[in-house]
mmCIF file with all atom_site columns, all heavy atoms in Angstrom:
data_model
loop_
_atom_site.group_PDB
_atom_site.id
_atom_site.type_symbol
_atom_site.label_atom_id
_atom_site.label_alt_id
_atom_site.label_comp_id
_atom_site.label_asym_id
_atom_site.label_entity_id
_atom_site.label_seq_id
_atom_site.pdbx_PDB_ins_code
_atom_site.Cartn_x
_atom_site.Cartn_y
_atom_site.Cartn_z
_atom_site.occupancy
_atom_site.B_iso_or_equiv
_atom_site.pdbx_formal_charge
_atom_site.auth_seq_id
_atom_site.auth_comp_id
_atom_site.auth_asym_id
_atom_site.auth_atom_id
_atom_site.pdbx_PDB_model_num
ATOM 1   N N   . ILE A 1 56  ? 57.044 -91.990  148.130 1.00 0.00 ? 56  ILE A N   1
ATOM 2   C CA  . ILE A 1 56  ? 57.574 -93.064  148.942 1.00 0.00 ? 56  ILE A CA  1
ATOM 3   C C   . ILE A 1 56  ? 59.190 -92.809  148.834 1.00 0.00 ? 56  ILE A C   1
ATOM 4   O O   . ILE A 1 56  ? 59.712 -92.938  147.689 1.00 0.00 ? 56  ILE A O   1
ATOM 5   C CB  . ILE A 1 56  ? 57.122 -94.365  148.434 1.00 0.00 ? 56  ILE A CB  1
ATOM 6   C CG1 . ILE A 1 56  ? 55.629 -94.564  148.619 1.00 0.00 ? 56  ILE A CG1 1
ATOM 7   C CG2 . ILE A 1 56  ? 57.979 -95.499  149.130 1.00 0.00 ? 56  ILE A CG2 1
ATOM 8   C CD1 . ILE A 1 56  ? 55.181 -95.849  148.077 1.00 0.00 ? 56  ILE A CD1 1
ATOM 9   N N   . GLY A 1 82  ? 65.657 -101.842 150.519 1.00 0.00 ? 82  GLY A N   1
ATOM 10  C CA  . GLY A 1 82  ? 65.516 -102.128 149.197 1.00 0.00 ? 82  GLY A CA  1
ATOM 11  C C   . GLY A 1 82  ? 66.652 -101.758 148.366 1.00 0.00 ? 82  GLY A C   1
ATOM 12  O O   . GLY A 1 82  ? 66.683 -101.788 147.082 1.00 0.00 ? 82  GLY A O   1
ATOM 13  N N   . LEU A 1 83  ? 67.732 -101.239 148.916 1.00 0.00 ? 83  LEU A N   1
ATOM 14  C CA  . LEU A 1 83  ? 69.007 -100.750 148.189 1.00 0.00 ? 83  LEU A CA  1
ATOM 15  C C   . LEU A 1 83  ? 70.114 -101.805 148.348 1.00 0.00 ? 83  LEU A C   1
ATOM 16  O O   . LEU A 1 83  ? 70.312 -102.312 149.489 1.00 0.00 ? 83  LEU A O   1
ATOM 17  C CB  . LEU A 1 83  ? 69.451 -99.352  148.577 1.00 0.00 ? 83  LEU A CB  1
ATOM 18  C CG  . LEU A 1 83  ? 68.842 -98.304  147.811 1.00 0.00 ? 83  LEU A CG  1
ATOM 19  C CD1 . LEU A 1 83  ? 67.215 -98.254  147.951 1.00 0.00 ? 83  LEU A CD1 1
ATOM 20  C CD2 . LEU A 1 83  ? 69.454 -96.978  148.119 1.00 0.00 ? 83  LEU A CD2 1
ATOM 21  N N   . TYR A 1 92  ? 71.995 -100.423 143.598 1.00 0.00 ? 92  TYR A N   1
ATOM 22  C CA  . TYR A 1 92  ? 70.719 -100.976 142.927 1.00 0.00 ? 92  TYR A CA  1
ATOM 23  C C   . TYR A 1 92  ? 69.570 -100.717 143.762 1.00 0.00 ? 92  TYR A C   1
ATOM 24  O O   . TYR A 1 92  ? 69.535 -101.223 144.943 1.00 0.00 ? 92  TYR A O   1
ATOM 25  C CB  . TYR A 1 92  ? 70.973 -102.529 142.751 1.00 0.00 ? 92  TYR A CB  1
ATOM 26  C CG  . TYR A 1 92  ? 71.982 -102.785 141.699 1.00 0.00 ? 92  TYR A CG  1
ATOM 27  C CD1 . TYR A 1 92  ? 73.002 -102.125 141.281 1.00 0.00 ? 92  TYR A CD1 1
ATOM 28  C CD2 . TYR A 1 92  ? 71.684 -104.020 140.891 1.00 0.00 ? 92  TYR A CD2 1
ATOM 29  C CE1 . TYR A 1 92  ? 73.869 -102.490 140.235 1.00 0.00 ? 92  TYR A CE1 1
ATOM 30  C CE2 . TYR A 1 92  ? 72.560 -104.464 139.879 1.00 0.00 ? 92  TYR A CE2 1
ATOM 31  C CZ  . TYR A 1 92  ? 73.643 -103.560 139.610 1.00 0.00 ? 92  TYR A CZ  1
ATOM 32  O OH  . TYR A 1 92  ? 74.538 -104.010 138.547 1.00 0.00 ? 92  TYR A OH  1
ATOM 33  N N   . VAL A 1 93  ? 68.560 -100.027 143.213 1.00 0.00 ? 93  VAL A N   1
ATOM 34  C CA  . VAL A 1 93  ? 67.316 -99.643  143.832 1.00 0.00 ? 93  VAL A CA  1
ATOM 35  C C   . VAL A 1 93  ? 66.354 -100.708 143.617 1.00 0.00 ? 93  VAL A C   1
ATOM 36  O O   . VAL A 1 93  ? 66.039 -100.859 142.371 1.00 0.00 ? 93  VAL A O   1
ATOM 37  C CB  . VAL A 1 93  ? 66.877 -98.287  143.560 1.00 0.00 ? 93  VAL A CB  1
ATOM 38  C CG1 . VAL A 1 93  ? 65.584 -98.053  144.281 1.00 0.00 ? 93  VAL A CG1 1
ATOM 39  C CG2 . VAL A 1 93  ? 67.924 -97.291  143.856 1.00 0.00 ? 93  VAL A CG2 1
ATOM 40  N N   . ARG A 1 94  ? 65.785 -101.415 144.606 1.00 0.00 ? 94  ARG A N   1
ATOM 41  C CA  . ARG A 1 94  ? 64.791 -102.533 144.419 1.00 0.00 ? 94  ARG A CA  1
ATOM 42  C C   . ARG A 1 94  ? 65.197 -103.605 143.407 1.00 0.00 ? 94  ARG A C   1
ATOM 43  O O   . ARG A 1 94  ? 64.460 -104.021 142.645 1.00 0.00 ? 94  ARG A O   1
ATOM 44  C CB  . ARG A 1 94  ? 63.591 -101.922 143.938 1.00 0.00 ? 94  ARG A CB  1
ATOM 45  C CG  . ARG A 1 94  ? 62.809 -101.185 145.132 1.00 0.00 ? 94  ARG A CG  1
ATOM 46  C CD  . ARG A 1 94  ? 61.505 -100.511 144.625 1.00 0.00 ? 94  ARG A CD  1
ATOM 47  N NE  . ARG A 1 94  ? 60.838 -99.939  145.852 1.00 0.00 ? 94  ARG A NE  1
ATOM 48  C CZ  . ARG A 1 94  ? 59.634 -99.242  145.711 1.00 0.00 ? 94  ARG A CZ  1
ATOM 49  N NH1 . ARG A 1 94  ? 59.213 -98.873  144.590 1.00 0.00 ? 94  ARG A NH1 1
ATOM 50  N NH2 . ARG A 1 94  ? 58.927 -98.892  146.763 1.00 0.00 ? 94  ARG A NH2 1
ATOM 51  N N   . GLY A 1 95  ? 66.546 -103.797 143.423 1.00 0.00 ? 95  GLY A N   1
ATOM 52  C CA  . GLY A 1 95  ? 67.011 -104.902 142.546 1.00 0.00 ? 95  GLY A CA  1
ATOM 53  C C   . GLY A 1 95  ? 67.394 -104.456 141.156 1.00 0.00 ? 95  GLY A C   1
ATOM 54  O O   . GLY A 1 95  ? 67.991 -105.277 140.364 1.00 0.00 ? 95  GLY A O   1
ATOM 55  N N   . LEU A 1 96  ? 67.027 -103.269 140.814 1.00 0.00 ? 96  LEU A N   1
ATOM 56  C CA  . LEU A 1 96  ? 67.462 -102.843 139.455 1.00 0.00 ? 96  LEU A CA  1
ATOM 57  C C   . LEU A 1 96  ? 68.779 -102.167 139.431 1.00 0.00 ? 96  LEU A C   1
ATOM 58  O O   . LEU A 1 96  ? 69.195 -101.453 140.225 1.00 0.00 ? 96  LEU A O   1
ATOM 59  C CB  . LEU A 1 96  ? 66.338 -101.695 139.001 1.00 0.00 ? 96  LEU A CB  1
ATOM 60  C CG  . LEU A 1 96  ? 65.028 -102.328 138.902 1.00 0.00 ? 96  LEU A CG  1
ATOM 61  C CD1 . LEU A 1 96  ? 63.908 -101.236 138.642 1.00 0.00 ? 96  LEU A CD1 1
ATOM 62  C CD2 . LEU A 1 96  ? 64.789 -103.240 137.647 1.00 0.00 ? 96  LEU A CD2 1
ATOM 63  N N   . LYS A 1 137 ? 61.756 -93.396  145.757 1.00 0.00 ? 137 LYS A N   1
ATOM 64  C CA  . LYS A 1 137 ? 61.462 -94.658  145.001 1.00 0.00 ? 137 LYS A CA  1
ATOM 65  C C   . LYS A 1 137 ? 60.261 -94.548  144.079 1.00 0.00 ? 137 LYS A C   1
ATOM 66  O O   . LYS A 1 137 ? 60.038 -95.396  143.257 1.00 0.00 ? 137 LYS A O   1
ATOM 67  C CB  . LYS A 1 137 ? 61.296 -95.780  146.012 1.00 0.00 ? 137 LYS A CB  1
ATOM 68  C CG  . LYS A 1 137 ? 62.508 -96.052  146.853 1.00 0.00 ? 137 LYS A CG  1
ATOM 69  C CD  . LYS A 1 137 ? 62.243 -97.120  147.851 1.00 0.00 ? 137 LYS A CD  1
ATOM 70  C CE  . LYS A 1 137 ? 63.347 -97.223  148.841 1.00 0.00 ? 137 LYS A CE  1
ATOM 71  N NZ  . LYS A 1 137 ? 63.092 -98.342  149.932 1.00 0.00 ? 137 LYS A NZ  1
ATOM 72  N N   . THR A 1 138 ? 59.465 -93.552  144.194 1.00 0.00 ? 138 THR A N   1
ATOM 73  C CA  . THR A 1 138 ? 58.339 -93.286  143.344 1.00 0.00 ? 138 THR A CA  1
ATOM 74  C C   . THR A 1 138 ? 58.545 -91.984  142.587 1.00 0.00 ? 138 THR A C   1
ATOM 75  O O   . THR A 1 138 ? 59.140 -91.123  143.066 1.00 0.00 ? 138 THR A O   1
ATOM 76  C CB  . THR A 1 138 ? 56.955 -93.170  144.023 1.00 0.00 ? 138 THR A CB  1
ATOM 77  O OG1 . THR A 1 138 ? 57.123 -92.216  145.138 1.00 0.00 ? 138 THR A OG1 1
ATOM 78  C CG2 . THR A 1 138 ? 56.686 -94.481  144.769 1.00 0.00 ? 138 THR A CG2 1
ATOM 79  N N   . GLY A 1 149 ? 64.213 -97.243  138.778 1.00 0.00 ? 149 GLY A N   1
ATOM 80  C CA  . GLY A 1 149 ? 64.501 -97.748  140.133 1.00 0.00 ? 149 GLY A CA  1
ATOM 81  C C   . GLY A 1 149 ? 64.157 -96.652  141.132 1.00 0.00 ? 149 GLY A C   1
ATOM 82  O O   . GLY A 1 149 ? 63.540 -96.860  142.246 1.00 0.00 ? 149 GLY A O   1
ATOM 83  N N   . ASP A 1 657 ? 52.901 -98.496  143.351 1.00 0.00 ? 657 ASP A N   1
ATOM 84  C CA  . ASP A 1 657 ? 53.491 -98.588  144.700 1.00 0.00 ? 657 ASP A CA  1
ATOM 85  C C   . ASP A 1 657 ? 52.372 -98.381  145.636 1.00 0.00 ? 657 ASP A C   1
ATOM 86  O O   . ASP A 1 657 ? 51.351 -97.627  145.575 1.00 0.00 ? 657 ASP A O   1
ATOM 87  C CB  . ASP A 1 657 ? 54.463 -97.513  144.972 1.00 0.00 ? 657 ASP A CB  1
ATOM 88  C CG  . ASP A 1 657 ? 55.724 -97.714  144.236 1.00 0.00 ? 657 ASP A CG  1
ATOM 89  O OD1 . ASP A 1 657 ? 55.965 -97.363  143.081 1.00 0.00 ? 657 ASP A OD1 1
ATOM 90  O OD2 . ASP A 1 657 ? 56.656 -98.354  144.893 1.00 0.00 ? 657 ASP A OD2 1
ATOM 91  N N   . VAL A 1 674 ? 54.447 -102.611 149.114 1.00 0.00 ? 674 VAL A N   1
ATOM 92  C CA  . VAL A 1 674 ? 54.524 -103.490 147.993 1.00 0.00 ? 674 VAL A CA  1
ATOM 93  C C   . VAL A 1 674 ? 54.673 -102.615 146.732 1.00 0.00 ? 674 VAL A C   1
ATOM 94  O O   . VAL A 1 674 ? 54.161 -101.417 146.661 1.00 0.00 ? 674 VAL A O   1
ATOM 95  C CB  . VAL A 1 674 ? 53.230 -104.362 147.812 1.00 0.00 ? 674 VAL A CB  1
ATOM 96  C CG1 . VAL A 1 674 ? 53.107 -105.384 149.075 1.00 0.00 ? 674 VAL A CG1 1
ATOM 97  C CG2 . VAL A 1 674 ? 51.951 -103.525 147.700 1.00 0.00 ? 674 VAL A CG2 1
ATOM 98  N N   . PHE A 1 675 ? 55.292 -103.160 145.794 1.00 0.00 ? 675 PHE A N   1
ATOM 99  C CA  . PHE A 1 675 ? 55.502 -102.401 144.430 1.00 0.00 ? 675 PHE A CA  1
ATOM 100 C C   . PHE A 1 675 ? 55.553 -103.429 143.355 1.00 0.00 ? 675 PHE A C   1
ATOM 101 O O   . PHE A 1 675 ? 55.790 -104.537 143.491 1.00 0.00 ? 675 PHE A O   1
ATOM 102 C CB  . PHE A 1 675 ? 56.847 -101.574 144.592 1.00 0.00 ? 675 PHE A CB  1
ATOM 103 C CG  . PHE A 1 675 ? 57.989 -102.428 144.850 1.00 0.00 ? 675 PHE A CG  1
ATOM 104 C CD1 . PHE A 1 675 ? 58.803 -102.986 143.766 1.00 0.00 ? 675 PHE A CD1 1
ATOM 105 C CD2 . PHE A 1 675 ? 58.477 -102.669 146.063 1.00 0.00 ? 675 PHE A CD2 1
ATOM 106 C CE1 . PHE A 1 675 ? 59.934 -103.790 144.026 1.00 0.00 ? 675 PHE A CE1 1
ATOM 107 C CE2 . PHE A 1 675 ? 59.684 -103.461 146.246 1.00 0.00 ? 675 PHE A CE2 1
ATOM 108 C CZ  . PHE A 1 675 ? 60.354 -104.028 145.200 1.00 0.00 ? 675 PHE A CZ  1
ATOM 109 N N   . LYS A 1 677 ? 56.571 -103.190 138.812 1.00 0.00 ? 677 LYS A N   1
ATOM 110 C CA  . LYS A 1 677 ? 57.075 -102.391 137.623 1.00 0.00 ? 677 LYS A CA  1
ATOM 111 C C   . LYS A 1 677 ? 56.876 -103.336 136.476 1.00 0.00 ? 677 LYS A C   1
ATOM 112 O O   . LYS A 1 677 ? 57.257 -104.502 136.481 1.00 0.00 ? 677 LYS A O   1
ATOM 113 C CB  . LYS A 1 677 ? 58.557 -102.033 137.858 1.00 0.00 ? 677 LYS A CB  1
ATOM 114 C CG  . LYS A 1 677 ? 58.783 -101.064 138.979 1.00 0.00 ? 677 LYS A CG  1
ATOM 115 C CD  . LYS A 1 677 ? 60.157 -100.668 139.049 1.00 0.00 ? 677 LYS A CD  1
ATOM 116 C CE  . LYS A 1 677 ? 60.428 -99.679  140.238 1.00 0.00 ? 677 LYS A CE  1
ATOM 117 N NZ  . LYS A 1 677 ? 59.875 -98.415  139.904 1.00 0.00 ? 677 LYS A NZ  1
ATOM 118 N N   . LEU A 1 705 ? 58.775 -106.752 137.538 1.00 0.00 ? 705 LEU A N   1
ATOM 119 C CA  . LEU A 1 705 ? 59.372 -106.897 138.886 1.00 0.00 ? 705 LEU A CA  1
ATOM 120 C C   . LEU A 1 705 ? 58.455 -106.423 139.984 1.00 0.00 ? 705 LEU A C   1
ATOM 121 O O   . LEU A 1 705 ? 57.732 -105.496 139.774 1.00 0.00 ? 705 LEU A O   1
ATOM 122 C CB  . LEU A 1 705 ? 60.595 -105.940 138.747 1.00 0.00 ? 705 LEU A CB  1
ATOM 123 C CG  . LEU A 1 705 ? 61.428 -105.765 140.110 1.00 0.00 ? 705 LEU A CG  1
ATOM 124 C CD1 . LEU A 1 705 ? 62.899 -105.711 139.800 1.00 0.00 ? 705 LEU A CD1 1
ATOM 125 C CD2 . LEU A 1 705 ? 61.092 -104.710 140.883 1.00 0.00 ? 705 LEU A CD2 1
ATOM 126 N N   . GLU A 1 709 ? 58.535 -104.572 150.816 1.00 0.00 ? 709 GLU A N   1
ATOM 127 C CA  . GLU A 1 709 ? 59.572 -103.885 151.689 1.00 0.00 ? 709 GLU A CA  1
ATOM 128 C C   . GLU A 1 709 ? 58.936 -103.757 153.183 1.00 0.00 ? 709 GLU A C   1
ATOM 129 O O   . GLU A 1 709 ? 57.766 -103.187 153.268 1.00 0.00 ? 709 GLU A O   1
ATOM 130 C CB  . GLU A 1 709 ? 59.894 -102.574 151.106 1.00 0.00 ? 709 GLU A CB  1
ATOM 131 C CG  . GLU A 1 709 ? 60.594 -102.564 149.824 1.00 0.00 ? 709 GLU A CG  1
ATOM 132 C CD  . GLU A 1 709 ? 60.857 -101.245 149.182 1.00 0.00 ? 709 GLU A CD  1
ATOM 133 O OE1 . GLU A 1 709 ? 60.093 -100.232 149.542 1.00 0.00 ? 709 GLU A OE1 1
ATOM 134 O OE2 . GLU A 1 709 ? 61.753 -101.223 148.431 1.00 0.00 ? 709 GLU A OE2 1
ATOM 135 N N   . ILE A 1 740 ? 62.282 -109.423 146.550 1.00 0.00 ? 740 ILE A N   1
ATOM 136 C CA  . ILE A 1 740 ? 61.973 -108.887 145.242 1.00 0.00 ? 740 ILE A CA  1
ATOM 137 C C   . ILE A 1 740 ? 62.080 -110.166 144.271 1.00 0.00 ? 740 ILE A C   1
ATOM 138 O O   . ILE A 1 740 ? 62.932 -111.028 144.354 1.00 0.00 ? 740 ILE A O   1
ATOM 139 C CB  . ILE A 1 740 ? 63.220 -108.000 144.853 1.00 0.00 ? 740 ILE A CB  1
ATOM 140 C CG1 . ILE A 1 740 ? 63.212 -106.837 145.886 1.00 0.00 ? 740 ILE A CG1 1
ATOM 141 C CG2 . ILE A 1 740 ? 62.919 -107.298 143.475 1.00 0.00 ? 740 ILE A CG2 1
ATOM 142 C CD1 . ILE A 1 740 ? 64.486 -105.848 145.728 1.00 0.00 ? 740 ILE A CD1 1
ATOM 143 N N   . GLN A 1 777 ? 69.555 -108.333 139.991 1.00 0.00 ? 777 GLN A N   1
ATOM 144 C CA  . GLN A 1 777 ? 68.516 -108.279 141.044 1.00 0.00 ? 777 GLN A CA  1
ATOM 145 C C   . GLN A 1 777 ? 68.724 -109.326 141.963 1.00 0.00 ? 777 GLN A C   1
ATOM 146 O O   . GLN A 1 777 ? 68.678 -110.587 141.740 1.00 0.00 ? 777 GLN A O   1
ATOM 147 C CB  . GLN A 1 777 ? 67.158 -108.369 140.385 1.00 0.00 ? 777 GLN A CB  1
ATOM 148 C CG  . GLN A 1 777 ? 66.021 -108.483 141.288 1.00 0.00 ? 777 GLN A CG  1
ATOM 149 C CD  . GLN A 1 777 ? 65.344 -109.816 141.203 1.00 0.00 ? 777 GLN A CD  1
ATOM 150 O OE1 . GLN A 1 777 ? 65.054 -110.421 140.234 1.00 0.00 ? 777 GLN A OE1 1
ATOM 151 N NE2 . GLN A 1 777 ? 65.130 -110.291 142.464 1.00 0.00 ? 777 GLN A NE2 1
ATOM 152 N N   . LEU A 1 781 ? 67.115 -108.835 150.388 1.00 0.00 ? 781 LEU A N   1
ATOM 153 C CA  . LEU A 1 781 ? 67.989 -107.734 150.880 1.00 0.00 ? 781 LEU A CA  1
ATOM 154 C C   . LEU A 1 781 ? 67.535 -107.358 152.305 1.00 0.00 ? 781 LEU A C   1
ATOM 155 O O   . LEU A 1 781 ? 66.343 -107.343 152.678 1.00 0.00 ? 781 LEU A O   1
ATOM 156 C CB  . LEU A 1 781 ? 67.853 -106.464 150.064 1.00 0.00 ? 781 LEU A CB  1
ATOM 157 C CG  . LEU A 1 781 ? 68.214 -106.541 148.703 1.00 0.00 ? 781 LEU A CG  1
ATOM 158 C CD1 . LEU A 1 781 ? 67.889 -105.126 147.802 1.00 0.00 ? 781 LEU A CD1 1
ATOM 159 C CD2 . LEU A 1 781 ? 69.662 -106.886 148.382 1.00 0.00 ? 781 LEU A CD2 1
#
Side-chain angles (χ1 to χ4, degrees):
I56 294 177
L83 272 63
Y92 282 33
V93 181
R94 290 175 165 174
L96 291 170
K137 301 175 184 176
T138 56
D657 287 88
V674 295
F675 59 88
K677 296 178 180 292
L705 178 142
E709 298 176 331
I740 306 170
Q777 175 252 310
L781 299 169

